Amino acid sequence: MTYCLAIATKEGMVFCSDSRTNAGPDMLSSYSKMHIFQPAPDRLFTFLTAGNLATTQAIVARLKYDLENPDIINLRNCAKMHEAVRYVSQVCREEHSFAQSATASAGIDTSASVIMGGQIAGGDHGIYMLYSAGNFITDSDQTPFLQIGESKYGKPILDRILTRNTSLEDAARCAIVSMDSTIKSNATVGAPIEVLVYERDTFESNHYIRMEEDDEYLRQIKQSWNESINTAFSNLPKFEWEYRSANQTRS
Amino acid sequence: MTYCLAIATKEGMVFCSDSRTNAGPDMLSSYSKMHIFQPAPDRLFTFLTAGNLATTQAIVARLKYDLENPDIINLRNCAKMHEAVRYVSQVCREEHSFAQSATASAGIDTSASVIMGGQIAGGDHGIYMLYSAGNFITDSDQTPFLQIGESKYGKPILDRILTRNTSLEDAARCAIVSMDSTIKSNATVGAPIEVLVYERDTFESNHYIRMEEDDEYLRQIKQSWNESINTAFSNLPKFEWEYRSANQTRS
């Protein structure tokens, strides 16, 4: 499996992905699922991929390949984010259809999902979730994040913390905690964890970090979170019967 | 959907369940999924149910019905927990087979899963998860809890907090936080929340609470947890580049 998420705030975007792939539980490998494209100085795109690895690799390879062809729409020459998303969703649909037609008789699931985020100068930054079928959704003010893969374990913390006004650094920490909770609870999601922080209107991958399991900052985050959660827990209000038994002890 | 969980610690057991049932997203109702049986003074059993409502109701009705028949094994006359679990799993299998054979052509999913916990005098307390097929598993020292239904959202907090040495009250609070996180993230799980705390060797349902959405204690727990999570969050270690920019601001 996979867990990837993207967050869009007023200040910019955060992307976070794990690196575990598996073909059955006995064939685990490690692949980056974060693909950063900066085909011109006025634009930056990030893709997070989940699903069939052959399909997602085909999609990413195709996006690269198309860059060299100025006669078609590609990531270098498209004028607006909406145009870029429509182009990428078309690529997703084609690559998935191709894989599907070749494997139909084998019962193999060749579907893939992609989170795309980016900004082109003159327009806003935005994040999108693209399905195999080629349709896509974006985020909302109420839910300023998108997830693909094993999304349930890490959703509660996103629901509790994230708004459009969250700072980029807090959003990145929230993504890391969400990822850590998922890794702790599900063996098919695993390090290295990649995080990209993008400040709007910079068109640069401002802060990229890649954390192995024993990464010092990751260790600090995990330790701090675990200690705080335990403290938070011990501060929860007591049940009414606990006060009663406390009173009995004193009397 | 449903979310139910049971926790077994050295001191006893905790059971927690939501009450939402749905037949499609436009047909929500509220049913208790916690069923407490105390057929004799030396024993207590609790059942949490998920899945097809007709099947789970048939299972619970059958357990009650069988109590009146002293010629067969039932919850009143079985001598050990293992005997009780085998009897209940047989009931699950039969009721599921019956429902399945009647609905096979309609493509309806009649499967159900049941968490069973209890104690019979002279033996230990224990929790078990019973599948439709009639097989079952129990918990372990490493994972002293069992979940059915929408289990992923609420699992990280259980993984972080629970051990065999957790107090019953802390285990109950952990169950409530796990349930609250799930309700916050998934519309098919909803209040009222039922919680039962059982102290080992008492053979009584020591503390049973049923909390509506606006319950005062639930409100306090939610508020305290939300505040603590936000504090925990703001105490997370900063990224290296945040120190750098802080230094720049000062210079």
Side-chain angles (χ1 to χ4, degrees):
Chain A
M1 268 306 261
T2 287
Y3 178 42
C4 299
L5 75 156
I7 303 164
T9 70
K10 284 182 183 162
E11 294 178 11
M13 299 178 288
V14 170
F15 302 90
C16 183
S17 57
D18 84 310
S19 302
R20 188 154 296 174
T21 62
N22 64 301
D26 56 348
M27 193 169 163
L28 299 173
S29 353
S30 183
Y31 278 91
S32 170
K33 298 163 192 175
M34 182 181 288
H35 311 275
I36 304 169
F37 282 68
Q38 197 168 11
D42 71 336
R43 59 192 60 207
L44 186 128
F45 306 101
T46 303
F47 300 93
L48 308 174
T49 54
N52 184 287
L53 187 62
T55 306
T56 59
Q57 287 190 349
I59 292 168
V60 173
R62 173 80 180 279
L63 297 180
K64 280 184 195 158
Y65 181 81
D66 283 358
L67 283 178
E68 307 309 318
N69 187 349
D71 300 330
I72 58 168
I73 284 195
N74 61 34
L75 290 175
R76 184 175 287 129
N77 62 24
C78 56
K80 302 273 178 200
M81 269 308 286
H82 185 71
E83 206 175 307
V85 180
R86 286 189 57 182
Y87 155 68
V88 177
S89 67
Q90 182 63 28
V91 169
C92 288
R93 188 204 305 245
E94 286 171 16
E95 294 301 332
H96 177 242
S97 294
F98 177 76
Q100 201 177 25
S101 63
T103 56
S105 60
I108 294 169
D109 182 6
T110 55
S111 66
S113 48
V114 172
I115 288 177
M116 170 177 181
Q119 186 179 16
I120 298 174
D124 279 339
H125 60 288
I127 57 175
Y128 304 84
M129 182 156 72
L130 289 64
Y131 302 104
S132 284
N135 49 357
F136 53 89
I137 60 170
T138 186
D139 63 332
S140 73
D141 284 350
Q142 291 71 44
T143 309
F145 60 87
L146 295 170
Q147 304 169 286
I148 52 177
E150 273 293 354
S151 59
K152 293 186 177 182
Y153 302 103
K155 187 165 182 284
I157 184 67
L158 307 178
D159 283 332
R160 287 188 198 274
I161 298 288
L162 294 176
T163 72
R164 287 278 195 232
N165 296 318
T166 305
S167 77
L168 281 177
E169 284 76 16
D170 278 348
R173 275 185 282 273
C174 192
I176 294 170
V177 171
S178 174
M179 181 63 74
D180 177 49
S181 296
T182 307
I183 290 175
K184 221 173 152 66
S185 292
N186 189 305
T188 68
V189 178
I193 301 172
E194 290 179 275
V195 183
L196 175 69
V197 176
Y198 172 79
E199 290 170 36
R200 61 171 297 158
D201 303 329
T202 61
F203 307 103
E204 275 172 31
S205 48
N206 307 95
H207 300 290
Y208 167 82
I209 50 177
R210 182 174 176 282
M211 295 178 288
E212 297 285 348
E213 211 161 327
D214 60 353
D215 179 271
E216 175 56 21
Y217 182 65
L218 182 60
R219 199 194 57 71
Q220 286 174 16
I221 288 254
K222 285 158 86 145
Q223 185 184 339
S224 168
W225 188 250
N226 256 331
E227 285 169 6
S228 293
I229 288 288
N230 277 282
T231 308
F233 204 77
S234 57
N235 289 337
L236 285 176
K238 302 278 175 257
F239 291 105
E240 177 253 343
W241 73 76
E242 291 176 273
Y243 295 113
R244 273 208 314 264
S245 35
N247 285 337
Q248 283 175 7
T249 311
R250 277 202 295 277
S251 65
Chain B
M1 267 305 263
T2 288
Y3 178 41
C4 300
L5 75 156
I7 303 163
T9 70
K10 283 182 183 162
E11 294 178 10
M13 298 178 287
V14 169
F15 302 90
C16 183
S17 56
D18 86 309
S19 302
R20 187 155 296 174
T21 61
N22 65 301
D26 56 349
M27 193 168 164
L28 297 175
S29 351
S30 184
Y31 278 90
S32 170
K33 298 164 192 174
M34 183 182 287
H35 311 274
I36 304 169
F37 281 68
Q38 198 168 12
D42 71 336
R43 59 192 60 206
L44 186 129
F45 306 100
T46 303
F47 300 93
L48 307 175
T49 55
N52 184 286
L53 188 60
T55 306
T56 60
Q57 287 190 349
I59 292 168
V60 173
R62 172 80 181 279
L63 298 180
K64 279 185 195 156
Y65 182 82
D66 283 358
L67 283 178
E68 307 310 318
N69 186 349
D71 300 330
I72 58 168
I73 284 196
N74 61 33
L75 290 175
R76 183 174 288 129
N77 62 23
C78 57
K80 301 274 179 198
M81 270 306 287
H82 185 71
E83 206 174 308
V85 180
R86 286 189 58 181
Y87 154 68
V88 177
S89 66
Q90 181 64 26
V91 169
C92 290
R93 188 205 306 245
E94 286 171 16
E95 293 302 331
H96 178 242
S97 295
F98 177 76
Q100 200 177 26
S101 63
T103 57
S105 61
I108 295 170
D109 182 6
T110 55
S111 66
S113 48
V114 173
I115 289 177
M116 169 177 183
Q119 187 179 16
I120 298 175
D124 278 341
H125 60 289
I127 56 175
Y128 304 84
M129 182 155 73
L130 288 64
Y131 302 103
S132 285
N135 49 356
F136 53 88
I137 60 170
T138 187
D139 63 331
S140 72
D141 285 349
Q142 291 71 42
T143 308
F145 59 87
L146 296 170
Q147 304 169 286
I148 51 177
E150 273 292 352
S151 59
K152 292 185 178 183
Y153 301 104
K155 186 165 183 285
I157 184 67
L158 307 178
D159 283 330
R160 287 188 198 274
I161 298 290
L162 294 175
T163 72
R164 287 278 195 233
N165 295 319
T166 305
S167 78
L168 281 177
E169 284 75 16
D170 279 346
R173 275 186 281 273
C174 192
I176 294 171
V177 170
S178 174
M179 181 63 75
D180 177 49
S181 297
T182 306
I183 289 175
K184 219 173 154 64
S185 293
N186 188 306
T188 67
V189 178
I193 301 171
E194 292 178 275
V195 183
L196 175 69
V197 177
Y198 172 79
E199 291 170 35
R200 61 170 298 157
D201 303 329
T202 61
F203 308 103
E204 276 172 31
S205 47
N206 306 95
H207 300 290
Y208 167 82
I209 50 176
R210 182 174 177 281
M211 296 178 287
E212 297 284 348
E213 211 161 327
D214 59 354
D215 180 89
E216 176 55 21
Y217 182 64
L218 182 59
R219 200 194 55 72
Q220 286 175 16
I221 288 254
K222 283 157 86 144
Q223 186 183 336
S224 167
W225 188 252
N226 255 331
E227 285 169 5
S228 293
I229 288 288
N230 277 282
T231 308
F233 204 77
S234 57
N235 289 337
L236 285 176
K238 302 277 175 258
F239 290 105
E240 177 254 343
W241 72 78
E242 291 176 273
Y243 295 113
R244 273 207 315 263
S245 35
N247 285 339
Q248 283 174 7
T249 311
R250 276 202 296 277
S251 67

